Amino acid sequence: VRLVESGGSVVQPGRSLRLSCAASGFNFRSYPIHWVRQAPGKGLEWLAVMSRDGLNEYYADPVRGRFNISRDNSKNTLYLLMNSLRPEDTAVYYCARDPGITLVRGVMLGLGRLDPWGQGTLVTVSS
Amino acid sequence: EIVMTQSPATLSVSPGETATLTCRASQTVGSNLAWYQQKPGQAPRLLIYGASTRATDIPARFSGGGSGTEFTLVIDGLQSEDFAVYYCQQYNNWPPLTFGGGTKVEIK
């Protein structure tokens, strides 16, 4: 089971960036996948989750309306489109698999556990 | 949103000793609590889920306990590879998933 993030770079405030998370070693379309970030020297912050079928998505308040999660099950890949980037979005961005399925707020989502994680990709928002 | 609080922020322990980490939730999370280990420059790794169930390949020296709002992670006989930052995370009432601020276990 492996997740590999890519797409991180240095970007100016206000610009957009798309991250990718390539999965291998498991049946990608059977699992919800999350994005989590970690600012330099700080703790972990959950950002978003997408259901296994791609029909349902949820976001943390700081990124709702700016970030968009999507997935292409034919390519075993999850994406995070980040718009209107701010300096405070500077962080390492991780994708993580949710190992199970359960009903969450009326929607078939994950269990809420994160296992495994990718190695992360660094996004730096700076002028 | 459920707020998770970990203590202490830093724990200094000698190799071979026992480390006890605490995590508190602002409201009950039942047993829907996970612990993660993160070493410098690495991604987090799931250690414990369901408050007390070790994840795959996690050594028996790691044990989790508690329910409701108070949880502990105990590491018996600390080994050199155990010095890291540990995070708790609730998945009882989500989204959002929420993490504690972390406890750094350092060599005394």
Side-chain angles (χ1 to χ4, degrees):
Chain A
V1 176
R2 193 173 182 216
L3 299 168
V4 178
E5 302 90 339
S6 62
S9 70
V10 179
V11 61
Q12 292 180 330
R15 303 297 292 266
S16 297
L17 193 65
R18 190 180 79 161
L19 306 182
S20 299
C21 168
S24 60
F26 65 100
N27 188 0
F28 179 74
R29 64 182 68 237
S30 294
Y31 296 89
I33 309 288
H34 302 256
W35 285 102
V36 177
R37 71 183 176 185
Q38 186 171 35
K42 302 298 184 181
L44 302 169
E45 180 184 23
W46 177 83
L47 297 178
V49 62
M50 172 147 273
S51 61
R52 55 185 177 174
D53 56 13
L55 295 181
N56 293 284
E57 58 203 76
Y58 290 91
Y59 299 91
D61 286 346
V63 304
R64 186 178 297 115
R66 294 192 301 127
F67 289 12
N68 179 259
I69 189 173
S70 62
R71 65 192 293 163
D72 185 339
N73 284 345
S74 68
K75 296 182 178 179
N76 291 347
T77 303
L78 178 79
Y79 303 99
L80 185 69
L81 176 61
M82 304 183 294
N83 299 312
S84 303
L85 281 163
R86 306 165 180 168
E88 55 265 35
D89 295 318
T90 294
V92 174
Y93 285 73
Y94 297 100
C95 59
R97 187 185 72 169
D98 195 306
I101 306 293
T102 193
L103 200 62
V104 177
R105 299 193 183 186
V107 173
M108 291 307 292
L109 261 185
L111 299 175
R113 306 198 296 261
L114 306 173
D115 181 38
W117 299 53
Q119 87 291 345
T121 188
L122 176 62
V123 173
T124 302
V125 183
S126 173
S127 54
Chain B
E1 175 176 319
I2 298 177
V3 176
M4 307 301 293
T5 303
Q6 290 185 242
S7 60
T10 303
L11 189 59
S12 298
V13 186
S14 300
E17 293 188 338
T18 297
T20 302
L21 290 65
T22 298
C23 174
R24 290 186 173 86
S26 61
Q27 58 187 269
T28 184
V29 299
S31 294
N32 295 311
L33 190 285
W35 289 93
Y36 300 87
Q37 177 193 63
Q38 187 178 34
K39 298 179 182 179
Q42 295 186 18
R45 174 177 71 147
L46 178 67
L47 290 178
I48 301 282
Y49 63 91
S52 60
T53 302
R54 282 188 300 277
T56 303
D57 295 332
I58 301 303
R61 63 180 181 274
F62 291 92
S63 62
S67 66
T69 61
E70 292 217 12
F71 302 87
T72 57
L73 174 68
V74 177
I75 313 171
D76 276 320
L78 271 158
Q79 300 189 6
S80 58
E81 62 265 32
D82 300 334
F83 292 96
V85 180
Y86 294 83
Y87 295 94
C88 63
Q89 175 236 320
Q90 70 81 22
Y91 53 96
N92 187 65
N93 185 2
W94 75 284
L97 297 175
T98 51
F99 293 89
T103 291
K104 180 181 180 181
V105 178
E106 64 177 23
I107 300 175
K108 186 174 183 180

